[in-house]
Amino acid sequence: MHMSAQRELRLAKRMARLGTETAFEVLVKAKALEAKGRDIVHLEIGEPDFDTPRNIIDAACDALHKGFTHYGPSAGLPQLREAIAQYVSETRRVNVTPDEVVVVPGGKPIIFFSILALCEDGDEVIYPNPGFPIYESMIDYVGAKAVPIRLREEMDFRLDVDELAGLINDRTKLIIINSPQNPTGGMLEKIDIDRIAAAIGDRNVMVLSDEIYSRLIFEGEHHSIMSIDGMKERTILLDGFSKTYAMTGWRMGYGVMRADLAAHVARLMTNSSSCTASFSQISGVEALCGPQDSVEKMCAEFKKRRDVMVAGLNKIKGFSCRLPKGAFYVFPNITKTGWPSKKLADALLEDAGVAGLSGTAFGKFGEGYMRFSVANSIENIEKALERVDAWTKENL
Ligand SMILES: Cc1ncc(COP(=O)(O)O)c(C=O)c1O
């Protein structure tokens, strides 16, 4: 048969509204440069460079040998839902039951599923900007209206609650908050959380509280809106294993939410992944209930690296950087370089061999900033700083 020209790809219109996470694209670009023989310092991707702790790996191997190689319930294995319910009850000082827990492959599906389950045409969703790009992508994808709340450097990237209050209206269906925050490392204080809850008042508005970095805090304490009287029923807590236990490739996360919503999210799991990998889930029980010293060690190491990175950036022409309080990113202001963020990020990768992300990868209010991950060794961080410094001396 004669093969004609390739047929047109007839994509659904909604695909035009789906965004992406630039970190993965920059990683591909950096790898391509490496394949050509270039030496690149990787400060683009958001994952711990540590190995998963030994006890967790052993638990997974054991689970594989014991036959946890089959399908399990879509909402997660009962023993893990129980362990999560207990962990969240203790850390957020609320009473969580296992039927309010859904285990999913990573934290990301909780963003996907809660927005898919709750939001549609005519709904408004307020989300932090700069912020994790998947929020805006998913809001647009489902046809809801994305309403950014700008995070400001002069407020240490906490959100301005008065501004938030001004954005809430009768169409607001969901408010997304994230603390510690990606990409800024900013943290909401107790007073911020109290005031956010007060701004929501009695409204029937849900809050998606992305707390995936809650164990990576250098200064201050984690505060969850779920802990506030009257907010538990309206909160979807997102947390997981990726960042806390260096388990990004295991794909393990969870959401905690009212049981009737959890049933719908589990149905989305049935329709998509069926269930999270069973042996991963068994290792999740070990992660939560086993020794926690590796978490503390990792956090202390990130703090050291953060200090080196921030001090170094502040000595570089055109860069100024606040000290992030949590997560493992720094978000320097680069306006004084005179370069737009994307162009600067591209130049640093191509000319200096330092892979970082343009602030605009996190939304329009990221212009004027770059994000560097400190999930790399001090030696490599110092190398990156020297290269950026040399580049600015040559080009600015
Ligand atoms: C704020 C935030 N939420 C959620 C996620 C998703 O994590 P996971 O890899 O567990 O899906 C990330 C990962 O970078 C993140 O930064």
Side-chain angles (χ1 to χ4, degrees):
M1 195 180 89
H2 175 71
M3 291 292 288
S4 57
Q6 197 183 17
R7 288 187 174 85
E8 178 197 1
L9 175 63
R10 299 196 300 155
L11 274 182
K13 278 190 213 72
R14 61 176 170 271
M15 284 306 286
R17 300 195 302 263
L18 190 65
T20 190
E21 191 180 350
T22 312
F24 288 96
E25 286 165 13
V26 174
L27 180 66
V28 168
K29 223 161 125 186
K31 293 270 182 206
L33 287 171
E34 278 175 331
K36 284 194 218 154
R38 292 281 308 280
D39 178 62
I40 307 289
V41 184
H42 290 277
L43 303 180
E44 73 278 42
I45 200 96
E47 70 168 339
D49 53 322
F50 302 100
D51 291 331
T52 303
R54 183 61 196 257
N55 61 313
I56 300 174
I57 291 183
D58 287 346
C61 293
D62 197 38
L64 279 167
H65 288 301
K66 286 191 174 135
F68 284 95
T69 52
H70 299 273
Y71 289 134
S74 292
L77 289 172
Q79 52 272 60
L80 181 57
R81 293 174 85 193
E82 176 71 49
I84 292 168
Q86 211 164 1
Y87 170 73
V88 173
S89 296
E90 278 162 22
T91 50
R92 274 68 170 195
R93 297 180 302 281
V94 283
N95 179 28
V96 172
T97 53
D99 62 343
E100 295 170 316
V101 176
V102 188
V103 182
V104 292
K108 244 181 196 167
I110 290 298
I111 302 171
F112 200 106
F113 293 155
S114 15
I115 293 175
L116 210 51
L118 295 174
C119 307
E120 60 197 340
D121 228 5
D123 293 334
E124 295 188 7
V125 183
I126 303 172
Y127 69 103
N129 189 322
F132 190 49
I134 302 305
Y135 307 142
E136 189 180 277
S137 168
M138 280 308 299
I139 300 163
D140 290 341
Y141 187 65
V142 301
K145 183 175 170 198
V147 181
I149 167 117
R150 183 177 193 153
L151 302 187
R152 293 169 199 279
E153 182 181 0
E154 54 285 11
M155 289 190 64
D156 261 336
F157 299 109
R158 293 152 57 200
L159 59 80
D160 181 335
V161 183
D162 294 327
E163 204 172 324
L164 174 72
L167 296 175
I168 300 175
N169 62 42
D170 291 344
R171 291 178 298 279
T172 309
K173 192 73 161 291
L174 181 69
I175 298 171
I176 302 176
I177 55 177
N178 171 214
S179 178
Q181 213 248 353
N182 177 10
T184 65
M187 270 176 56
L188 294 170
E189 293 176 8
K190 175 78 168 72
I191 180 140
D192 301 324
I193 298 280
D194 286 341
R195 292 188 61 226
I196 292 170
I200 294 169
D202 284 335
R203 288 188 180 83
N204 191 3
V205 168
M206 294 294 285
V207 178
L208 172 59
S209 183
D210 185 340
E211 303 180 18
I212 200 145
Y213 295 103
S214 57
R215 299 281 293 277
L216 293 170
I217 290 180
F218 313 124
E219 269 102 36
E221 264 177 61
H222 180 64
H223 299 285
S224 174
I225 196 159
M226 191 172 243
S227 314
I228 297 196
D229 263 357
M231 284 310 296
K232 189 190 155 215
E233 187 202 20
R234 287 176 288 169
T235 303
I236 302 165
L237 175 123
L238 179 163
D239 205 339
F241 299 82
S242 301
K243 318 286 177 177
T244 306
Y245 301 102
M247 289 174 71
T248 47
W250 295 64
R251 307 315 299 138
M252 282 267 289
Y254 55 86
V256 179
M257 62 204 82
R258 49 190 281 178
D260 50 359
L261 178 59
H264 290 293
V265 170
R267 200 152 52 95
L268 284 166
M269 271 298 284
T270 309
N271 276 270
S272 52
S273 309
S274 294
C275 64
T276 306
S278 298
F279 56 92
S280 286
Q281 293 192 57
I282 296 295
S283 71
V285 177
E286 172 63 24
L288 286 178
C289 306
Q292 301 295 305
D293 48 318
S294 56
V295 182
E296 278 133 44
K297 254 198 248 158
M298 210 162 57
C299 191
E301 184 57 34
F302 282 136
K303 186 175 183 201
K304 261 194 252 167
R305 297 166 178 189
R306 170 204 70 166
D307 292 343
V308 171
M309 188 70 181
V310 170
L313 283 172
N314 281 324
K315 288 188 197 130
I316 296 175
K317 188 175 171 192
F319 283 69
S320 68
C321 189
R322 292 194 175 230
L323 206 58
K325 293 189 168 70
F328 42 65
Y329 310 105
V330 300
F331 201 64
N333 184 319
I334 53 91
T335 46
K336 292 212 166 83
T337 62
W339 283 51
S341 299
K342 173 76 168 66
K343 200 167 155 225
L344 182 66
D346 287 344
L348 289 179
L349 174 61
E350 274 147 37
D351 306 344
V354 176
L357 298 181
S358 164
T360 50
F362 302 93
K364 64 178 175 184
F365 296 127
E367 183 53 79
Y369 299 88
M370 274 191 70
R371 188 194 83 171
F372 296 107
S373 155
V374 294
N376 207 324
S377 64
I378 294 213
E379 192 191 343
N380 280 333
I381 286 171
E382 283 172 342
K383 185 152 91 175
L385 287 166
E386 277 164 29
R387 288 180 179 186
V388 176
D389 188 41
W391 183 92
T392 57
K393 284 179 176 141
E394 223 171 89
N395 294 281
L396 300 185

